[in-house]
Amino acid sequence: MATNRTFTMIKPDAFEAGNTGAILKMIENAGFKIMAMKATQLTPQLAGKFYEVHKERPFYADLCGYMSSGPIVAVILEKDNAVEDFRTLIGATNPANAADGTIRKIFAKSIEANAVHGSDSDENAALEGNFFFSQAERVS
Ligand code: IDP
Ligand code: MG
């Protein structure tokens, strides 16, 4: 898997608020290319699997409920230094701490309903992309 890719989701709060297009525009304006994209809705079980790394955290059950509460848009993105640059573009997990001009600062509702996901490593970017997209569903 290329190391110049990352994975994002437009989370249920941003989808419901009609911010998908504005967020994708910010992502493209920052130089990312969309290599796979679809709207779907997670079951609580699938949300639990996606966030399994957090299963011991106190917010895990709430997070799985929230992430399965409505449609999301899953996206594979490509750019040099994709993982790090995308984390910079989205800002801190808690929008109260996110830098001005970041996606979470502009669109997030709370630390949980924080508009977008961003992979934290090249390895997880590949795993997360493969969670949503088969080889035939993404640019190889
Ligand atoms: P990240 O999305 O910035 O990488 P993580 O620590 O990986 O943040 O947490 C995954 C997701 O879990 C967050 O994006 C957010 O939706 C939720 N979350 C993280 N910390 C909290 C918390 O303290 N309370 C409620 N939800 C949280
Ligand atoms: Mg994370």
Side-chain angles (χ1 to χ4, degrees):
M1 183 74 189
T3 58
N4 58 348
R5 288 191 176 190
T6 192
F7 172 80
T8 188
M9 273 185 276
I10 311 296
K11 293 186 178 183
D13 62 294
F15 184 98
E16 176 60 26
N19 290 327
T20 298
I23 291 171
L24 290 172
K25 190 69 201 157
M26 281 184 71
I27 291 170
E28 286 194 313
N29 284 349
F32 292 87
K33 293 213 159 19
I34 293 168
M35 294 306 191
M37 182 163 68
K38 68 178 159 199
T40 183
Q41 184 163 352
L42 293 169
T43 62
Q45 289 73 20
L46 280 172
K49 205 170 164 195
F50 185 85
Y51 282 112
E52 199 155 23
V53 63
H54 294 308
K55 65 175 183 294
E56 306 302 335
R57 310 275 290 272
F59 57 80
Y60 178 69
D62 269 4
L63 177 62
C64 296
Y66 158 65
M67 286 302 297
S68 56
S69 67
I72 58 100
V73 177
V75 192
I76 295 175
L77 296 168
E78 190 165 284
K79 180 187 181 296
D80 288 347
N81 203 34
V83 167
E84 190 184 344
D85 286 2
F86 193 72
R87 296 289 307 200
T88 301
L89 179 66
I90 68 177
T93 307
N94 185 346
N97 302 328
D100 284 347
T102 59
I103 290 173
R104 283 170 167 169
K105 183 72 170 191
I106 296 167
F107 296 106
K109 306 268 189 291
S110 68
I111 190 171
E112 178 181 76
N114 59 0
V116 283
H117 169 80
S119 304
D120 63 7
S121 67
D122 291 336
E123 186 190 3
N124 284 336
L127 289 171
E128 291 168 1
N130 291 343
F131 183 91
F132 281 94
F133 299 101
S134 72
Q135 199 168 0
E137 292 173 321
R138 61 182 193 251
V139 180
S140 60

